[in-house]
Every structure is written in structure tokens, then in C-alpha cells.
Amino acid sequence: MLKKVVNVFYSFELEQYLGELLPRRDDLFLEMEEQALRETIPVVTPPVGNYLSWLVKVSGASRILEVGTAIGYSTLWLAKGLAGRAGKIVTLDLNVDRATRAIEYFKRGGVAEKIQVVMGDARRILPDFPRGEFDFVFVDAAKGEYLDYLELVTPLLGDGGIMVVDNVLFRGWVVPGSEYEPKYERMVSRLREFLKLLTENPELQTSILPLGDGLAVSIRKCS
């Protein structure tokens, strides 16, 4: 029998409240949020998007990689962090329809010249990038593939580069002793393994933040 799972870290109501504390978002952001809700497209929450934008701004990152474009919602938050200075975002996605829609949003947002959309399997594309190519990486893709992305993305970070990975707490089920439907066992196990390898990686210093469904924020140590 399944035990009732308590949301250990973050309640929906608290996340919603934090979103209400943000300044009113542009109409384009609101339109994309409505589309994502209507079509059940996974996008970051507004507090997570705001944090990404803030982190890009304060870090001074200018060479940004995003794994998982969807309709470009988080990409626009990253681009907002680049406002007023030079920079480039390379964003990867396997879903051609969603990536095509994202391109239209980038045009409407006036940031298309800063964003390069690459369509295809990120696990095949990432090995083509030079080592140390990026100073900021955001991963928001299939959670079952996070172990692959950890191996592929880490070499692409330059010294002092930042990597952010979304949805790493998976409703708090990664906590040992949590109970959930058997169909989630493989996903939970892989996320636990990912978090263990990430936090034990000697090349990275990592913090796990209970924002949204969990963010892992890592910085590559200088060699």
C-alpha cells in the first residue's frame, strides 16, 4: 500500500506565492505560460525563470548553452539576463514543432539574433562542441537522461562556468524512504544516482535549491 507522500520541500502554494511577488511579466511571457498550461508543455516556473535571468546577469555569462528548448520560455528568461550586453545562447531540442514555435517567440521578443536553435538529439550534438565552450549551461530535458548530460556537459564548461539542472528533486521523491507508484522507480533511481555523482564530482561545487521542482546549481572549479 502506498503511503501518503508529504511534499518535503516546496508546496505549489508557496511557489505560486513567490511568482506573485515577481514584477508583472511581459505579455509574451504570460502568453507562453498560458500556452504551456493549455498544452501541458513542461516549462520552468516563473520564479525559476527569474532566478535564471538573475544568475546570468550577476555572473556575467555570455556563452550560454540550453539543453531542452520546448517553446523557448526559459530561453527568453536567459536572454533577459543578457539584456544590454553581447552574448549568445545555443539551445537544443529534439521536438521540431516546439522548437519552430520557439523561434517565432524569439523573433517577437526581439532576441532572435542572440539565439541559435539546434534541432536534434542533444546527446549526439553535444560531443561536437569544443571543451570549455560555454560559461553557463542550463539543462531542462528528459530526467532519465540526466546522467548522460552530466558526462557530456561538464567538459563544455569553462573554468568558473555555471551549470543549472532543473527538476532534480522530482516532487521530493528522491528523498530516501519516499514511496511512490512503481512506474516512477527507474526515474527516481536515476535521479538519485545523478545527484550523487553530481555532488561528488571533484570538478564541480554544487548546491541543491528547493526552487520549483528542485534546481542543482554547480560551478566548475578553476583548474
Side-chain angles (χ1 to χ4, degrees):
M1 183 176 69
L2 294 179
K3 180 174 65 177
K4 182 179 180 181
V5 177
V6 177
N7 192 328
V8 181
F9 298 105
Y10 235 60
S11 68
F12 171 78
E13 290 78 13
L14 184 54
E15 183 77 6
Q16 185 177 42
Y17 172 67
L18 292 179
E20 292 170 355
L21 292 177
L22 298 175
R24 186 186 187 279
R25 296 178 293 287
D26 296 341
D27 289 342
L28 187 59
F29 278 112
L30 297 176
E31 178 184 330
M32 295 174 78
E33 290 165 18
E34 291 176 0
Q35 181 186 0
L37 182 63
R38 184 171 60 251
E39 300 183 28
T40 321
I41 299 171
V43 298
V44 301
T45 63
V48 169
N50 183 69
Y51 176 71
L52 291 173
S53 178
W54 174 87
L55 194 56
V56 167
K57 184 175 296 186
V58 299
S59 68
S62 61
R63 297 171 291 122
I64 300 171
L65 171 67
E66 179 182 49
V67 181
T69 312
I71 57 172
Y73 182 75
S74 55
T75 326
L76 283 178
W77 278 109
L78 293 168
K80 188 174 181 179
L82 285 174
R85 57 188 175 87
K88 186 76 174 181
I89 301 171
V90 178
T91 183
L92 316 177
D93 205 286
L94 185 62
N95 189 309
V96 174
D97 175 65
R98 289 180 181 176
T100 301
R101 282 190 280 175
I103 292 172
E104 293 304 312
Y105 280 124
F106 301 154
K107 292 177 181 177
R108 289 174 57 190
V111 294
E113 74 285 351
K114 289 181 178 286
I115 303 171
Q116 177 186 356
V117 179
V118 181
M119 301 182 195
D121 188 337
R123 291 172 295 178
R124 296 186 177 182
I125 297 168
L126 292 171
D128 293 334
F129 291 112
R131 294 179 66 90
E133 177 75 3
F134 301 99
D135 51 23
F136 192 102
V137 176
F138 176 54
V139 179
D140 185 14
K143 292 184 284 293
E145 299 172 0
Y146 277 5
L147 285 167
D148 298 328
Y149 295 135
L150 178 60
E151 180 180 351
L152 292 168
V153 165
T154 302
L156 304 183
L157 277 176
D159 286 351
I162 295 171
M163 176 173 65
V164 181
V165 184
D166 194 24
N167 299 317
V168 299
L169 296 181
F170 199 21
R171 309 174 193 176
W173 292 343
V174 293
V175 176
S178 297
E179 296 189 23
Y180 38 81
E181 294 182 27
K183 64 180 179 180
Y184 296 116
E185 177 59 37
R186 183 172 182 274
M187 186 77 71
V188 171
S189 296
R190 288 183 67 83
L191 278 173
R192 286 174 179 164
E193 184 179 358
F194 165 77
L195 287 170
K196 179 177 173 60
L197 290 176
L198 177 67
T199 55
E200 293 179 354
N201 189 318
E203 299 179 357
L204 303 170
Q205 181 178 349
T206 300
S207 292
I208 309 298
L209 307 180
L211 189 61
D213 198 23
L215 289 180
V217 183
S218 305
I219 185 169
R220 178 148 196 170
K221 299 175 183 177
C222 295
S223 55

